[in-house]
Amino acid sequence: MNTLRVARTLQPRGLASSQMVARAASTTAHTSAASSVIPVSNIEAQWETLNSKEQTEVYEQLLEAQKRDWKTLSIDEKKAAYYISFGPHGPRKPVDEPGSGLKVFGLTMAIVGAAGVAFAGMRSFGGEPPKTMTKEWQEASNELAREEKQNPLTGITSEGYKGKGHVA
């Protein structure tokens, strides 16, 4: 009798169809079985504050709701089902918190600066460059390459070569 009243309120005109009575019976049975039903509106804001038992209850509640026709689901139920399935929580929670890009950039610049200081220190205490890095040695290497006809296709002894050869 109570189920029929609920079905009549859902369908204002005419008699309640058997489908409406069955749907109303399932919703009243479900709400009486789960006395502590958690509202699914704005589940995105509530999800992290719920304990695991409440999260499981909401999940099961939405599983049962999704077994019905999707046209009968409310917008809040559809949004909650999507958030629980694909939302940024649990293993899909972002690793970096907002604003961490500036921190990463600052640390990267500090490491590059430390590497520059280390490079300058090594250059200042490194001593004289080797004798093979002098301009005279490199020009002598070019003459030797021409005498021995090194790399005749594209190198210093090729026709029309206009490069510097071994001179840096």
Side-chain angles (χ1 to χ4, degrees):
M1 177 98 173
N2 189 16
T3 312
L4 188 57
R5 268 191 236 136
V6 171
R8 282 187 183 153
T9 59
L10 293 175
Q11 185 179 11
R13 290 192 186 155
L15 296 173
S17 66
S18 61
Q19 184 182 16
M20 296 286 287
V21 171
R23 187 180 315 136
S26 70
T27 55
T28 56
H30 180 68
T31 55
S32 64
S35 60
S36 63
V37 176
I38 298 165
V40 293
S41 62
N42 198 12
I43 195 70
E44 299 88 4
Q46 302 174 30
W47 188 255
E48 294 298 323
T49 61
L50 299 176
N51 62 28
S52 62
K53 183 177 180 245
E54 291 172 335
Q55 287 179 350
T56 305
E57 286 177 8
V58 170
Y59 175 73
E60 289 172 356
Q61 175 186 351
L62 287 170
L63 277 182
E64 288 300 318
Q66 291 178 51
K67 290 180 183 177
R68 299 189 319 243
D69 187 15
W70 273 73
K71 294 175 186 173
T72 62
L73 291 178
S74 70
I75 296 293
D76 288 335
E77 288 174 328
K78 290 177 184 178
K79 285 181 181 179
Y82 182 83
Y83 177 79
I84 290 174
S85 297
F86 304 108
H89 58 83
R92 290 178 302 277
K93 187 173 186 177
V95 178
D96 297 333
E97 65 267 358
S100 65
L102 186 60
K103 182 179 174 182
V104 170
F105 178 75
L107 289 173
T108 303
M109 289 298 112
I111 290 171
V112 168
V117 168
F119 176 75
M122 286 183 200
R123 290 285 292 200
S124 65
F125 296 114
E128 303 260 339
K131 62 182 177 180
T132 57
M133 294 302 291
T134 62
K135 190 165 185 108
E136 294 82 24
W137 189 281
Q138 292 170 354
E139 288 172 354
S141 296
N142 279 348
E143 291 302 318
L144 182 64
R146 284 189 195 102
E147 288 173 9
E148 294 182 358
K149 299 185 181 172
Q150 293 177 357
N151 197 359
L153 299 176
T154 59
I156 197 166
T157 57
S158 64
E159 289 183 28
Y161 179 76
K162 296 188 175 153
K164 295 193 262 181
H166 295 287
V167 180

